[in-house]
Amino acid sequence: MGAYILRRLLLMIPTLFGIMAISFIVIQFAPGGPVEQVIAQVTGQGGGADARIGGGGGDIGAQSFEAAGGANSRYRGAQGLDPEFIAQLEKQFGFDKPPLERFGLMLWNYIRFDFGESYFRDISVVDLILEKMPVSISLGLWITLLSYGISIPLGIRKAVKDGTPFDVWTSGIVIVAYAIPSFLFAILLMVLFAGGSFFDWFPLRGLTSDNWSSLSWPERILDYFWHLALPLTALVLSAFATTTLLTKNSFLDEIRKQYVVTARAKGLSDRQVLYGHVFRNAMLLIIAGFPGAFISSFFTGSLLIESIFSLDGLGLLGFRSVIDRDYPVVFATLYIFSLMGLIISLVSDITYTLIDPRIDFERRDV
């Protein structure tokens, strides 16, 4: 097992390199970079980011508008601007270096977990991520726990009651819930229960109330879940559907195998067969999907929900960073969560061997 873990750890290096290299190449061809963002801000054409121009940039910006015959710049909208202003912007954002040098410098810094500072916020990338992390951890952790806590017992029950009215009705409910987009259900919940046209029972902003610091610990816990109630309901509605059906089908496959018939013939009860033999084998497939579900819950399902309920988490941060072309934040989040995904995938494989010792990764190729 040790050799397998070592191979997997070594394989993470080219995997991470490939992810970062492909993303870096794509970014090179993406229009509207940070220099263009600042130019649009200066020229009054808009811009998604609040420009932070350091090192005397304000003085240069004041003299940047020339009547005619300005710099022949490769940046759109830069005609008529002082070439020194453009050059300083390139230097500030690191675009005065060739792409290969910038990519190599980025990798060297990331190996040392030095992610630099945000282009458009006076804060380091690490501090910015840590600032947004509580929201994403709250959503991701509780969504995963709730969806698996509902899906596994429900899927097992459906497998045991396969073909009965209970199975038919719950399948209908699960499929309908899966078909409803989480953001649409979130809007419905907001209209019904958050001060829309009906009831005003739940808050619409943040994870805690303004007076949270003055509350007792029991009141803080209640306040925390009070704010999470609607976002989690909207996300869990569709999150547990896939895992429920996967659990049911996995248990059905195992129940129909010969070793189950043999176990029943030996006089074991249905419960002993189900949890003593079937459960261990059927749960392998569920465990395989856990790492992906856990990581994706930080991003895929939370972006629109964070926007609707004004939850400033990593999903919203990543989206705004892409729009604003805040490349340090974009690449840092990509690097961190790619690394987390690879590590959790390895942990999942190790868990396989704990559940079923018959699995031996040493005898298999990576």
Side-chain angles (χ1 to χ4, degrees):
M1 193 63 185
Y4 172 77
I5 294 175
L6 179 61
R7 290 198 303 269
R8 285 291 299 270
L9 290 174
L10 293 176
L11 187 60
M12 291 180 187
I13 298 174
T15 304
L16 274 176
F17 179 83
I19 292 172
M20 301 305 295
I22 292 173
S23 302
F24 187 85
I25 292 172
V26 171
I27 287 295
Q28 301 309 302
F29 295 98
V35 176
E36 286 94 333
Q37 294 280 339
V38 176
I39 289 173
Q41 186 102 7
V42 170
T43 57
Q45 300 175 12
D50 297 327
R52 176 173 58 86
I53 307 173
D59 295 334
I60 296 178
Q63 26 176 303
S64 61
F65 294 95
E66 297 179 351
N72 184 18
S73 176
R74 60 191 174 93
Y75 299 107
R76 184 169 56 182
Q79 290 78 12
L81 295 182
D82 191 341
E84 287 187 29
F85 177 65
I86 304 299
Q88 183 168 344
L89 283 180
E90 290 181 333
K91 183 176 181 180
Q92 177 182 332
F93 294 122
F95 290 101
D96 57 330
K97 302 180 179 67
L100 282 178
E101 183 179 347
R102 284 189 282 121
F103 180 67
L105 182 61
M106 180 184 72
L107 288 182
W108 172 244
N109 290 333
Y110 282 11
I111 290 173
R112 298 178 291 125
F113 290 93
D114 178 9
F115 302 108
E117 291 194 357
S118 166
Y119 281 162
F120 303 111
R121 300 174 178 90
D122 288 309
I123 185 173
S124 70
V125 173
V126 172
D127 290 340
L128 185 60
I129 292 175
L130 292 177
E131 179 184 314
K132 312 299 182 183
M133 188 72 78
V135 172
S136 293
I137 289 178
S138 295
L139 290 176
L141 181 62
W142 289 114
I143 291 165
T144 305
L145 292 178
L146 287 174
S147 63
Y148 273 75
I150 296 172
S151 301
I152 293 175
L154 180 59
I156 295 174
R157 186 67 176 173
K158 284 173 63 63
V160 173
K161 298 290 185 179
D162 183 43
T164 64
F166 172 82
D167 180 44
V168 174
W169 281 104
T170 53
S171 294
I173 294 172
V174 166
I175 292 172
V176 170
Y178 183 74
I180 300 176
S182 58
F183 75 90
L184 187 62
F185 191 66
I187 294 174
L188 176 63
L189 291 176
M190 184 174 61
V191 171
L192 290 177
F193 303 113
S197 303
F198 296 91
F199 305 102
D200 189 8
W201 292 349
F202 295 95
L204 271 178
R205 181 178 296 275
L207 284 179
T208 57
S209 301
D210 294 335
N211 64 335
W212 190 80
S213 58
S214 63
L215 299 176
S216 63
W217 279 110
E219 290 174 333
R220 290 184 181 184
I221 294 173
L222 290 175
D223 182 75
Y224 170 73
F225 284 107
W226 182 47
H227 282 77
L228 277 178
L230 294 187
L232 287 181
T233 302
L235 288 170
V236 169
L237 183 70
S238 59
F240 74 90
T242 302
T243 311
T244 298
L245 297 178
L246 182 64
T247 303
K248 176 193 172 182
N249 293 332
S250 179
F251 272 80
L252 279 179
D253 289 341
E254 294 297 324
I255 288 173
R256 293 166 180 167
K257 290 183 177 179
Q258 184 61 41
Y259 74 88
V260 175
V261 177
T262 304
R264 285 173 175 166
K266 291 180 177 179
L268 296 180
S269 66
D270 289 341
R271 186 176 184 84
Q272 288 175 321
V273 172
L274 183 64
Y275 293 102
H277 297 274
V278 174
F279 185 85
R280 182 178 61 184
N281 297 325
M283 284 301 295
L284 287 175
L285 189 60
I286 312 303
I287 292 172
F290 180 81
F294 183 74
I295 293 297
S296 64
S297 64
F298 286 106
F299 293 102
T300 55
S302 61
L303 173 57
L304 292 175
I305 299 300
E306 288 179 8
S307 301
I308 291 171
F309 291 103
S310 300
L311 298 172
D312 195 7
L314 288 176
L316 196 57
L317 171 66
F319 174 74
R320 287 175 176 171
S321 299
V322 171
I323 296 299
D324 294 343
R325 304 299 193 269
D326 197 346
Y327 293 154
V329 179
V330 173
F331 284 119
T333 53
L334 176 65
Y335 178 84
I336 291 172
F337 283 94
S338 296
L339 182 60
M340 284 181 59
L342 292 170
I343 293 174
I344 292 178
S345 177
L346 175 59
V347 172
S348 177
D349 287 347
I350 297 174
T351 307
Y352 277 145
T353 62
L354 299 178
I355 294 177
D356 191 348
R358 295 173 300 174
I359 297 177
D360 186 4
F361 290 106
E362 290 283 3
R363 300 178 182 177
R364 300 176 58 188
D365 295 331
V366 178

